[in-house]
Short mmCIF file of all heavy atoms in Angstrom, two decimals:
data_model
loop_
_atom_site.label_atom_id
_atom_site.label_comp_id
_atom_site.label_asym_id
_atom_site.label_seq_id
_atom_site.Cartn_x
_atom_site.Cartn_y
_atom_site.Cartn_z
N PRO A 121 -22.15 54.02 -16.96
CA PRO A 121 -23.19 55.06 -17.13
C PRO A 121 -23.28 55.58 -18.55
O PRO A 121 -24.37 55.89 -19.04
CB PRO A 121 -22.76 56.16 -16.15
CG PRO A 121 -21.93 55.46 -15.14
CD PRO A 121 -21.21 54.38 -15.89
N LEU A 122 -22.13 55.67 -19.24
CA LEU A 122 -22.15 56.14 -20.62
C LEU A 122 -22.89 55.14 -21.52
O LEU A 122 -23.67 55.54 -22.39
CB LEU A 122 -20.72 56.33 -21.12
CG LEU A 122 -20.55 56.93 -22.52
CD1 LEU A 122 -21.13 58.35 -22.57
CD2 LEU A 122 -19.08 56.96 -22.91
N ALA A 123 -22.67 53.86 -21.28
CA ALA A 123 -23.38 52.85 -22.06
C ALA A 123 -24.88 52.88 -21.78
O ALA A 123 -25.70 52.74 -22.69
CB ALA A 123 -22.80 51.46 -21.74
N MET A 124 -25.25 53.08 -20.53
CA MET A 124 -26.67 53.17 -20.19
C MET A 124 -27.30 54.41 -20.81
O MET A 124 -28.47 54.39 -21.21
CB MET A 124 -26.85 53.16 -18.68
CG MET A 124 -26.44 51.87 -18.00
SD MET A 124 -27.33 50.43 -18.68
CE MET A 124 -29.03 50.88 -18.29
N THR A 125 -26.54 55.51 -20.87
CA THR A 125 -27.04 56.71 -21.53
C THR A 125 -27.31 56.46 -23.00
O THR A 125 -28.32 56.91 -23.56
CB THR A 125 -26.03 57.86 -21.36
OG1 THR A 125 -25.82 58.12 -19.97
CG2 THR A 125 -26.53 59.13 -22.03
N PHE A 126 -26.41 55.72 -23.64
CA PHE A 126 -26.61 55.39 -25.05
C PHE A 126 -27.86 54.51 -25.24
O PHE A 126 -28.63 54.71 -26.19
CB PHE A 126 -25.37 54.67 -25.59
CG PHE A 126 -25.52 54.23 -27.02
CD1 PHE A 126 -25.55 55.16 -28.05
CD2 PHE A 126 -25.63 52.88 -27.33
CE1 PHE A 126 -25.69 54.76 -29.37
CE2 PHE A 126 -25.76 52.47 -28.64
CZ PHE A 126 -25.79 53.40 -29.66
N VAL A 127 -28.06 53.58 -24.34
CA VAL A 127 -29.26 52.74 -24.42
C VAL A 127 -30.52 53.58 -24.27
O VAL A 127 -31.51 53.39 -24.99
CB VAL A 127 -29.20 51.62 -23.36
CG1 VAL A 127 -30.52 50.86 -23.31
CG2 VAL A 127 -28.05 50.67 -23.65
N MET A 128 -30.50 54.53 -23.32
CA MET A 128 -31.66 55.43 -23.14
C MET A 128 -31.92 56.27 -24.38
O MET A 128 -33.06 56.54 -24.73
CB MET A 128 -31.42 56.34 -21.94
CG MET A 128 -31.51 55.68 -20.59
SD MET A 128 -31.17 56.85 -19.25
CE MET A 128 -32.44 58.09 -19.56
N SER A 129 -30.83 56.68 -25.06
CA SER A 129 -31.00 57.54 -26.23
C SER A 129 -31.65 56.83 -27.40
O SER A 129 -32.10 57.49 -28.34
CB SER A 129 -29.63 58.09 -26.66
OG SER A 129 -28.82 57.06 -27.20
N LEU A 130 -31.71 55.53 -27.35
CA LEU A 130 -32.32 54.76 -28.44
C LEU A 130 -33.81 54.47 -28.19
O LEU A 130 -34.43 53.77 -28.98
CB LEU A 130 -31.58 53.42 -28.62
CG LEU A 130 -30.09 53.52 -28.95
CD1 LEU A 130 -29.49 52.14 -29.07
CD2 LEU A 130 -29.86 54.32 -30.23
N ARG A 131 -34.36 55.06 -27.13
CA ARG A 131 -35.76 54.82 -26.79
C ARG A 131 -36.58 56.10 -26.98
O ARG A 131 -36.05 57.22 -26.97
CB ARG A 131 -35.89 54.30 -25.36
CG ARG A 131 -35.18 52.97 -25.14
CD ARG A 131 -35.31 52.48 -23.72
NE ARG A 131 -36.70 52.25 -23.36
CZ ARG A 131 -37.08 51.82 -22.16
NH1 ARG A 131 -36.17 51.61 -21.21
NH2 ARG A 131 -38.35 51.62 -21.90
N GLU A 132 -37.86 55.93 -27.12
CA GLU A 132 -38.77 57.03 -27.43
C GLU A 132 -39.05 57.89 -26.21
O GLU A 132 -39.11 57.39 -25.08
CB GLU A 132 -40.08 56.45 -27.98
CG GLU A 132 -41.12 57.49 -28.38
CD GLU A 132 -42.42 56.84 -28.78
OE1 GLU A 132 -42.58 55.64 -28.54
OE2 GLU A 132 -43.28 57.56 -29.33
N ASP A 133 -39.22 59.20 -26.45
CA ASP A 133 -39.67 60.10 -25.37
C ASP A 133 -41.11 59.78 -25.02
O ASP A 133 -41.95 59.57 -25.90
CB ASP A 133 -39.56 61.56 -25.81
CG ASP A 133 -38.14 61.99 -26.05
OD1 ASP A 133 -37.24 61.48 -25.36
OD2 ASP A 133 -37.91 62.83 -26.94
N ARG A 134 -41.42 59.75 -23.74
CA ARG A 134 -42.79 59.52 -23.30
C ARG A 134 -43.13 60.60 -22.28
O ARG A 134 -42.64 60.60 -21.15
CB ARG A 134 -42.95 58.13 -22.69
CG ARG A 134 -44.35 57.85 -22.18
CD ARG A 134 -44.50 56.41 -21.74
NE ARG A 134 -44.49 55.50 -22.88
CZ ARG A 134 -44.58 54.17 -22.76
NH1 ARG A 134 -44.68 53.63 -21.56
NH2 ARG A 134 -44.56 53.41 -23.83
N THR A 135 -43.94 61.55 -22.70
CA THR A 135 -44.28 62.69 -21.85
C THR A 135 -45.47 62.42 -20.94
O THR A 135 -45.77 63.25 -20.08
CB THR A 135 -44.59 63.92 -22.73
OG1 THR A 135 -45.66 63.59 -23.62
CG2 THR A 135 -43.36 64.31 -23.53
#
Side-chain angles (χ1 to χ4, degrees):
L122 185 63
M124 294 304 299
T125 301
F126 177 70
V127 172
M128 287 178 58
S129 69
L130 301 179
R131 298 179 62 181
E132 181 185 12
D133 294 328
R134 179 173 290 179
T135 58

